[in-house]
Amino acid sequence: MTVEEIIAGFYDTENYLFDDAEKLKFFRAICQETVKICMEINSVYHTPEELVELMSKLTGKTVDSSFRMYPPFYADFGRNITFGKNVFVNGGCKFQDQGGITIGDNCLIGHNAVLATINHSLNPADNRKLSYAPIKICDNVWLGANVTVLQGVTIGEWAVVAAGAVVTKDVEPYTIVGGIPAKFIRKVER
């Protein structure tokens, strides 16, 4: 069993991942390792270099040395997050990354941002079956404090999401959005 097989299983609509006991066991082990790493990040002081190392362990990928973060930080799976260069993540952020989160270069993520890649079926016959869709944050994006980005959303380059916004659909490059749900406010001046 590999992490890649689990990630592929999130999108397999024919064979529900959590109906397979072996895959479920492996998935839960990854999640527990993620909890352990997040507890390590959040419980004691770490130098910026140590945080880069811990985030590399959490994601299973090399995180660039230009990455900066102020804990606490929370993730549920960890292995489906990709960070670009010169990314800053402020304190209290929560990444529900099973569906995949990609953050481009030079992005700023404000306090308490929530990136949620999972949803539940509303049909009672589906017993709240999970569905997954990735979030893509393009280069030079700024997410304000307390922003929530929902599954399947792409935020275009140089976009700004105002504090407290809930982003339910794609955001065009070079725009500012805000509100619940987030709506166009104006273009970013170039």
Side-chain angles (χ1 to χ4, degrees):
M1 188 74 43
T2 66
V3 170
E4 291 76 20
E5 289 175 306
I6 296 299
I7 291 171
F10 295 143
Y11 294 98
D12 185 349
T13 57
E14 299 297 316
N15 303 297
Y16 189 52
L17 174 71
F18 300 119
D19 288 341
D20 182 313
E22 181 184 341
K23 288 180 182 176
L24 181 59
K25 182 178 179 182
F26 187 70
F27 166 77
R28 287 181 173 161
I30 293 169
C31 292
Q32 288 306 301
E33 179 65 17
T34 297
V35 169
K36 182 178 176 184
I37 295 167
C38 287
M39 292 296 291
E40 171 65 22
I41 289 168
N42 299 335
S43 64
V44 298
Y45 171 78
H46 295 284
T47 66
E49 295 78 17
E50 290 169 336
L51 286 172
V52 167
E53 185 177 317
L54 285 163
M55 291 303 283
S56 295
K57 185 176 176 184
L58 179 84
T59 62
K61 304 172 190 88
T62 300
V63 172
D64 191 78
S65 63
S66 60
F67 175 85
R68 291 292 176 260
M69 180 175 69
Y70 289 155
F73 175 83
Y74 305 92
D76 63 350
F77 184 66
R79 302 311 189 281
N80 212 0
I81 303 170
T82 302
F83 291 106
K85 295 179 180 175
N86 198 35
V87 170
F88 174 70
V89 177
N90 220 326
C93 291
K94 298 167 182 73
F95 286 15
Q96 184 190 52
D97 67 288
Q98 293 170 44
I101 296 172
T102 302
I103 299 175
D105 295 341
N106 307 309
C107 289
L108 304 172
I109 311 297
H111 283 98
N112 301 314
V114 174
L115 306 182
T117 65
I118 304 172
N119 205 347
H120 299 268
S121 173
L122 298 176
N123 182 345
D126 290 338
N127 196 25
R128 295 195 176 108
K129 185 176 180 182
L130 300 174
S131 64
Y132 307 85
I135 292 172
K136 181 177 181 186
I137 310 294
C138 296
D139 294 346
N140 302 296
V141 167
W142 175 15
L143 302 181
N146 297 302
V147 163
T148 298
V149 180
L150 298 182
Q151 69 168 165
V153 167
T154 295
I155 300 179
E157 64 181 7
W158 287 101
V160 176
V161 180
V166 177
V167 184
T168 61
K169 61 183 180 178
D170 291 353
V171 175
E172 293 294 319
Y174 296 93
T175 60
I176 300 170
V177 300
I180 301 173
K183 292 183 172 64
F184 174 82
I185 296 173
R186 67 179 174 87
K187 288 292 220 177
V188 171
E189 295 181 28
R190 296 192 230 184

